[in-house]
Amino acid sequence: MSTELTTDGSIPATDARTGRTGHLADKAFRGLTQFFALLVALSVLGVFITLLVGAWPALEQYGFFNFLTTNDWNPVTDVYGAVAPIYGTLVTSLLALLIGVPVSFGIALFITELAPVWLKRPIGVAIELLAAVPSIIYGMWGLFVFAPWFSENVQPWMTDNLGDWPLIGGLFQGPPMGIGMFTAGLILAIMIIPFMAAVMRDVFETVPPVYKESAYGLGGTTWEVVWKVVLPYTKIGVVGGIMLGLGRALGETMAVTFVIGNSHNVSGSLFMPGNTISSTLANEFTEADGAIYTSSLISLGLVLFLLTFVVLAIAKLMLIRLKAKEGKAS
Amino acid sequence: MLKLISRGLMVATATFALSTAAAADVNEISGAGATFPYPVYGKWASAYQKETGVKFNYQAIGSGGGIKQISAKTVDFGASDAPLTPEKLDEIGLMQFPMVMGGVVPVVHIDGIKAGDLKLSGEALADIFMGKVKKWNDSEIAELNPDLNLPDKAITVVHRSDGSGTTWIFTNYLSKVSSDWKNEIGNEKAVKWPAGVGGKGNQGVASYVDRINGSIGYVEYAYALQNKMAYAQLENHDGNYVSPTAENFQAAAAGADWANADGFYMVLTDQPGANSWPITGATFILVYKQASKPEVTQAVLKFFDWSYANGDDMANKLDYVPMPDSVVKLVEKTWAKEIKGSNGNDVWTVSMSN
């Protein structure tokens, strides 16, 4: 096995025959992978077109803008507006990020910087296991275990102590049912933490030890090293991890359906029941027998599709701007 | 002359085709629809398969789904908890018949209140579900229950979050007893609920009511029994307070005039009778009048005929109410009259009955 290497490191095709078959296999392989890649793009396009076609009757009747801005969901009179589910989707996802991002950051930080070596692996494996738990399990746990405990022990306390605060007090008022947008956001946070923590841990580990050691050598505290060296080095990966979590939170269906209360209302209180786009679809699709009803539900799907698309686009834009700034600074 | 011969030939081949087809074994029939009768259909199916070897596939995907599937002809029969109007039936070319009956029961969770303690009128029930009556010690409830010590606690309404035949029957009743409900909310499989939280399925409602102190919901009778929930008594059409029991469902069904119900369109809510439970309903089967595969339709009808004849005990055990024999006779007569093969031949004759 002695192959002569050319200067650029590639293996020269010395034997004409093997060279030709290799060439053919290369071509086939290239074609195959290209086909796979195209398949993804085509499916996305296909999904979009299918949604658009299905949503057309409803959008034609109400108008896209009108559909997005009216809050009426009445199968009896066949009038549908998407404000409540869109509101619920955004609020629960934001809440999930608000809780999930700091916790994931802490977990990743602990594993990579602070934990003793023998503890790193068990925690890492535990996080990966959490990520593998099916979402319906989280939903059932949320409904049967967390909600009753939360409604009896935490919710009344929150209403009593936070309910009178200016500005945010209204968020914590309402009957202590244990079911509602707050619980949904919390369950979502628990579900996306493993994903975000795992990504953050992986990217934190890519920081060359030399960088950190030099910072420590200059007398930096752990916090300073993380904040000024690790985070700037890994910010693209971190944002990517957060977006992965947000994407999952936006589309999560079963766990949310269990605990959100499934009611089409827009309420200022996080303790009131609400609805998300995906839980509305899960609840109502099977029994929607009117043409406009079905079409309105598909329009909701289209809205979710666009919402996810916009979120990802914003994330990408943010990253591009971050990079551009970096260029200027250096 | 040639025309006559060819027509004769056609009839002959068609008859031949039917007889051979009918002779061919249909050993699997499939249907889809309502979730409410799923347990009893499943029970009948396994008993029927043991006896005849015919496999019965039923997907409990909801009444709306069942109507969609039979309209798309992907299943041999559909099932719906809400009856289709005669016009809708004609539009698709279906016939429907009632298979089994059950009741919808209001269930409450108030500390110290046991099953049957609470009495509600239809009006009060509607006001609670509209969010007009907000507390358990509201005078509207207290007046009906002078003996009860009702707490000063907020009422949490629990309704179905998914579209459902149960909701259809329940809102049908509320529309009959409350004009406000009829005008503002209406009667559908899913409505715009003015108050409360939504649980998915009977099980979802049952578990929410179980979790939330001060809640009221509605579930199928079987769920109320199995979960040992505190049901409320209701005032019926005759002004008596009745409890949800199989006898009282039957009482509601007894007065129903099925013979004059066009297309078996019959809603059993708010029926007269001293003991009638006011929220009673039947669940329906849908088949095509013009059977494109007569042998399959025949197998479907054979199964339901067998169930009418042998399934009463199984239905009773699962807390469903079987159809009275007079209604069964009427249904089977209608099969013979209305269901035809693509060539116009009968698919069912009364002599086939069990």
Side-chain angles (χ1 to χ4, degrees), chain A residues 71-76 143-144 148 177 179 257-263 273 282-289 293-294, chain B residues 61-65 67-68 156 159 161-164 185-192 196-198 200 207-208 211-212:
Chain A
N71 179 27
D72 199 10
W73 191 268
N74 193 337
V76 182
L143 177 62
F144 293 113
M177 294 184 292
I179 293 155
T257 307
F258 266 73
V259 295
I260 197 166
N262 304 305
S263 167
N283 273 317
E284 299 184 20
F285 211 86
T286 45
E287 289 283 348
D289 42 10
Y293 195 179
T294 312
Chain B
I61 55 172
S63 304
I67 295 167
K68 267 186 214 156
T156 303
H159 53 75
S161 61
D162 47 340
S164 124
I185 317 283
N187 175 203
E188 254 310 331
K189 279 182 284 206
V191 299
K192 189 183 179 187
V197 296
K200 192 164 161 54
S207 64
Y208 275 8
R211 294 276 157 264
I212 304 169

Side-chain angles (χ1 to χ4, degrees), chain A residues 46-60 295 298-299 302:
Chain A
V47 168
F48 180 70
I49 291 172
T50 318
L51 282 174
L52 204 62
V53 169
W56 195 251
L59 296 183
E60 203 177 18
S295 177
I298 297 174
S299 306
L302 182 68

Side-chain angles (χ1 to χ4, degrees), chain B residues 202-246:
Chain B
N202 279 303
Q203 199 56 59
V205 172
S207 64
Y208 275 8
V209 170
D210 195 38
R211 294 276 157 264
I212 304 169
N213 198 349
S215 59
I216 180 167
Y218 59 93
V219 292
E220 293 289 353
Y221 177 57
Y223 281 88
L225 271 192
Q226 282 156 18
N227 294 320
K228 298 190 174 59
M229 306 187 78
Y231 61 83
Q233 291 190 45
L234 280 178
E235 187 185 17
N236 66 11
H237 193 267
D238 286 13
N240 299 332
Y241 282 96
V242 286
S243 290
T245 61

Side-chain angles (χ1 to χ4, degrees), chain B residues 108-120:
Chain B
V108 296
H109 177 182
I110 315 166
D111 281 344
I113 304 277
K114 294 189 295 295
D117 282 358
L118 189 72
K119 291 176 178 169
L120 292 172

Side-chain angles (χ1 to χ4, degrees), chain B residues 99-182:
Chain B
M99 202 55 224
V100 68
M101 293 180 293
V104 178
V105 177
V107 286
V108 296
H109 177 182
I110 315 166
D111 281 344
I113 304 277
K114 294 189 295 295
D117 282 358
L118 189 72
K119 291 176 178 169
L120 292 172
S121 64
E123 193 81 24
L125 192 65
D127 285 346
I128 290 172
F129 273 85
M130 287 185 94
K132 284 184 187 166
V133 173
K134 291 185 161 47
K135 292 217 159 164
W136 281 112
N137 61 356
D138 189 284
S139 59
E140 193 174 347
I141 305 174
E143 273 167 22
L144 303 171
N145 299 281
D147 307 335
L148 285 183
N149 189 12
L150 289 160
D152 177 28
K153 201 165 178 67
I155 298 177
T156 303
V157 167
V158 183
H159 53 75
R160 288 284 288 268
S161 61
D162 47 340
S164 124
T166 313
T167 301
W168 192 91
I169 294 170
F170 188 67
T171 55
N172 179 279
Y173 168 68
L174 293 182
S175 296
K176 278 184 182 167
V177 294
S178 157
S179 54
D180 283 354
W181 185 277
K182 190 177 178 187

Side-chain angles (χ1 to χ4, degrees), chain A residues 31-98:
Chain A
L32 195 69
T33 49
Q34 202 169 27
F35 170 71
F36 288 158
L38 273 177
L39 208 60
V40 173
L42 277 179
S43 335
V44 173
L45 199 71
V47 168
F48 180 70
I49 291 172
T50 318
L51 282 174
L52 204 62
V53 169
W56 195 251
L59 296 183
E60 203 177 18
Q61 180 154 348
Y62 306 122
F64 190 56
F65 185 72
N66 204 21
F67 180 73
L68 290 184
T69 52
T70 51
N71 179 27
D72 199 10
W73 191 268
N74 193 337
V76 182
T77 54
D78 251 359
V79 175
Y80 306 97
V83 167
I86 293 176
Y87 175 78
T89 306
L90 293 178
V91 169
T92 49
S93 298
L94 271 178
L95 198 64
L97 282 190
L98 221 61

